[in-house]
Amino acid sequence: NISVVCATRWARDPDRIAIRVDRGDARGETLSYARLDAEANRLANALAAEGVRRGDRVALLLPQCPETAIAQMGIMRMGAIAMPLSMLFGADAIAYRLQDSETRTVIVDASVLDTLREARVEASGVTRVIVVGGDIGALGGRGEVHWHELLGRASDRFRTVDTLADDPALLIYTSGTTGPPKGALIPHRALIGNLPG
C-alpha cells in the first residue's frame, strides 16, 4: 500500500520531516511524517464514517499543499482510489470526470468551490464535498463540510487495509484532446518505478 511506504513506515521518528511548505513569507511550515500519518488516519476514519468504501473514487480538486498529501495517503490506506483533478478545469471538464468515474466524494479547495458547485448540476452523483480552506460559514450546499470540522471529530488510529500490488490506487484522466477523456487506473505497484525519482 502506497500510504504505508510513503508515510506510515517513516512516522515512527516523530521529528522526521515529510513536507516543508513555503508560502512566500518569512515563516515556513513543516509537516512531520508522524503528523502526516495521524492526519491521514483521521481522514480515512472520517471518510469511512461518511460511507466511503474500498474501491470508491475520491476526487481531489486541490493545489500542492499538505492537505493534498494527507488526502492521498488517507484515501489509499482505506483501499479507496484517489482521483486528482486540475484546479484549472472548468465545470464541464470536472462534471465529465466525476460522472464517468461515478465519484460520490470530492475534496476541494475553497477557491474552486463555486466551479465544483456548477459541475454538480451535471454530476448529480456527488453526495459529499469536503472543503479545504475558506470560511466555514460559507458552506451550506448539498453535503458540504469543512475539512477541519470533519477531521476534528475523527480518530487518529486506523488499520490500513491490505492491498495487493495490482489493486488500484489512483485514477487519472487523459486530456481529452483526441476524443473524450479516458480514465487510467494506476495500481499500488506503480510506486516501485517512481520512488527512486
Side-chain angles (χ1 to χ4, degrees):
N1 189 295
I2 290 175
S3 74
V4 172
V5 175
C6 291
T8 305
R9 76 173 179 173
W10 304 105
R12 293 181 193 103
D13 178 353
D15 299 320
R16 192 174 196 131
I17 301 301
I19 299 172
R20 295 184 192 279
V21 181
D22 180 0
R23 301 193 192 279
D25 57 15
R27 70 173 179 87
E29 180 185 338
T30 60
L31 181 73
S32 68
Y33 279 101
R35 184 164 160 235
L36 170 62
D37 199 55
E39 293 298 303
N41 283 341
R42 286 185 200 284
L43 180 63
N45 280 312
L47 291 174
E50 293 283 316
V52 176
R53 300 290 175 253
R54 186 178 191 139
D56 286 352
R57 278 73 57 214
V58 179
L60 304 175
L61 265 167
L62 297 170
Q64 291 188 32
C65 61
E67 290 84 359
T68 302
I70 292 165
Q72 293 272 9
M73 297 300 106
I75 293 164
M76 289 182 207
R77 71 184 43 188
M78 63 186 306
I81 303 166
M83 187 175 77
L85 298 173
S86 172
M87 290 179 51
L88 300 177
F89 283 153
D92 289 344
I94 294 169
Y96 176 85
R97 288 159 175 83
L98 294 176
Q99 285 180 288
D100 186 66
S101 63
E102 299 178 351
T103 295
R104 295 190 312 269
T105 304
V106 180
I107 303 175
V108 61
D109 189 78
S111 66
V112 291
L113 180 57
D114 286 341
T115 306
L116 176 63
R117 285 174 173 162
E118 186 181 340
R120 288 183 73 190
V121 172
E122 294 297 321
S124 57
V126 173
T127 57
R128 288 173 292 280
V129 176
I130 302 163
V131 183
V132 175
D135 181 12
I136 293 176
L139 304 182
R142 309 166 357 234
E144 294 176 1
V145 64
H146 196 272
W147 172 274
H148 291 298
E149 180 185 341
L150 187 69
L151 269 65
R153 56 184 186 241
S155 169
D156 65 355
R157 296 199 174 276
F158 184 86
R159 186 179 181 281
T160 300
V161 302
D162 292 329
T163 53
L164 299 174
D166 285 329
D167 284 349
L170 290 163
L171 175 60
I172 58 173
Y173 273 81
T174 61
S175 64
T177 53
T178 59
K182 296 163 198 66
L185 277 174
I186 309 298
H188 283 270
R189 68 177 157 78
L191 179 68
I192 295 168
N194 292 295
L195 194 58

